[in-house]
Amino acid sequence: TSSLPEQWESHSFDQIYDHYECKAQAEDKSKPIPSLAQWLFLRKQYKEFVDDTITFDDPIPPTMGYSYDESHNTPPFYAKLDPERGRGLYASRNIKRLEVVHHWSGHDVTFPDAYAFRQFVYSLPKRMACDVVDWAWSRKISGDNGPEVICLSINIASLMNSGDGPGEVNVSINSSTSDSFFATRNIGKDEEILTHFVRT
């Protein structure tokens, strides 16, 4: 493991991104979909550096998503590496307009503060650290006036891409406190699932 950079405790997303030189990796369309071992390593590091009481006991492996419902069905998407677009999520069946495609769940993790997030990221190898900086998002978890927390899906849901414009986006959320992504139109089987992300 490399030594921690100076003043790492106060690094912003952009400073972490620059420290690990993540730009090249972000633009690399050939980077592979994480293996089961890599997802499990991320979970191990989260348990070690952030919350040692957490239990990852979902019967659905992170390579297939998470338990979409109480019957432990998988969500209606799968991960695929496209030679032109890179990693992404694709519909595993036809999805109807307004159907919930993905929801934040008990299987997503949160960070109590930015320090915990930095400590976690700097515990990771470079490629994983760049992925996590790309995948993490912030959201309010207790109403519009509540604090924002940093969240992370340690499963293939993190591979959902952002559409280039309103015409490409087919999945959206209602608000910054919403738990669910719903289909904004009918989505055909094997079509890429695209949303609109805003980094705050």
Side-chain angles (χ1 to χ4, degrees), residues 14-87:
D14 289 342
Q15 286 172 306
I16 297 171
Y17 197 81
D18 290 344
H19 171 75
Y20 279 115
E21 301 172 326
C22 294
K23 189 171 187 290
Q25 181 174 324
E27 294 170 352
D28 177 11
K29 302 298 183 192
S30 68
K31 56 182 180 283
I33 291 166
S35 65
L36 178 60
Q38 288 168 323
W39 290 122
L40 296 180
F41 177 77
L42 284 171
R43 291 179 174 186
K44 180 183 82 70
Q45 295 301 92
Y46 181 86
K47 192 174 175 75
E48 181 175 339
F49 287 92
V50 183
D51 180 3
D52 62 2
T53 66
I54 195 167
T55 54
F56 293 104
D57 54 4
D58 188 349
I60 302 297
T63 49
M64 295 175 67
Y66 54 88
S67 287
Y68 178 72
D69 54 29
E70 290 178 2
S71 302
H72 300 300
N73 289 306
T74 57
F77 52 69
Y78 62 91
K80 185 179 89 170
L81 180 64
D82 181 274
E84 290 181 8
R85 296 183 65 88
R87 304 183 293 196

Side-chain angles (χ1 to χ4, degrees), residues 147-161:
E148 287 200 338
V149 297
I150 299 172
C151 306
L152 180 68
S153 295
I154 310 183
N155 59 60
I156 60 167
S158 280
L159 303 179
M160 189 185 298
N161 288 320

